[in-house]
Amino acid sequence: VQLQASGGGLVQAGGSLRLSCAASGRTFSMYIMGWFRQAPGKEREFVAAINWSGGSTDYADSVKGRFTISRDNAKNTVYLQMNSLKPEDTAVYYCAADSHRYIRRYNYDYWGQGTLVTVSS
């Protein structure tokens, strides 16, 4: 699976962005999809994940209630809608695919190249 993330950019605090991650391959719907982020000088952290059907999701506490993960299996794409953005959300955001049966926050199999999100105060 090859992943291509897009949609990052510069936004003011309180604003919104929607990230997209397009996947190649016909087996996209079999993968759990996740979003991670890495801020300057910090380790990469889990943001959100969604199961194959979209019926189950998981969010980091820091984004719960502000971010929404979704997927369109017909388009081989996963999205991250980010609202009420804060300066501390500034990071490179990565999408990832996991062949595990259940949502988890680690050990993903495939990674995209990342897209930069910058939130100004």
Side-chain angles (χ1 to χ4, degrees):
V1 176
Q2 291 186 323
L3 305 172
Q4 180 75 36
S6 61
L10 174 63
V11 63
Q12 288 189 330
S16 298
L17 278 176
R18 189 177 80 155
L19 305 183
S20 299
C21 176
S24 64
R26 295 177 292 176
T27 59
F28 172 78
S29 62
M30 296 175 61
Y31 289 94
I32 287 169
M33 298 300 298
W35 286 97
F36 294 75
R37 68 186 182 186
Q38 186 167 19
K42 296 187 177 182
E43 293 188 352
R44 187 171 59 195
E45 64 176 358
F46 170 82
V47 175
I50 189 167
N51 75 337
W52 67 274
S53 68
S56 181
T57 57
D58 184 28
Y59 295 93
D61 288 344
S62 59
V63 306
K64 199 171 294 184
R66 300 187 298 121
F67 290 11
T68 302
I69 188 171
S70 61
R71 67 190 296 163
D72 185 337
N73 288 338
K75 295 182 178 180
N76 280 12
T77 302
V78 63
Y79 305 98
L80 186 68
Q81 178 67 44
M82 305 185 295
N83 299 329
S84 302
L85 283 161
K86 305 175 182 179
E88 51 263 44
D89 294 318
T90 295
V92 176
Y93 283 72
Y94 299 88
C95 62
D98 187 11
S99 59
H100 195 64
R101 282 188 72 182
Y102 304 107
I103 288 176
R104 57 185 179 179
R105 299 186 175 190
Y106 53 88
N107 285 358
Y108 278 59
D109 299 304
Y110 303 98
W111 294 84
Q113 87 291 355
T115 185
L116 177 62
V117 172
T118 304
V119 184
S120 63
S121 57

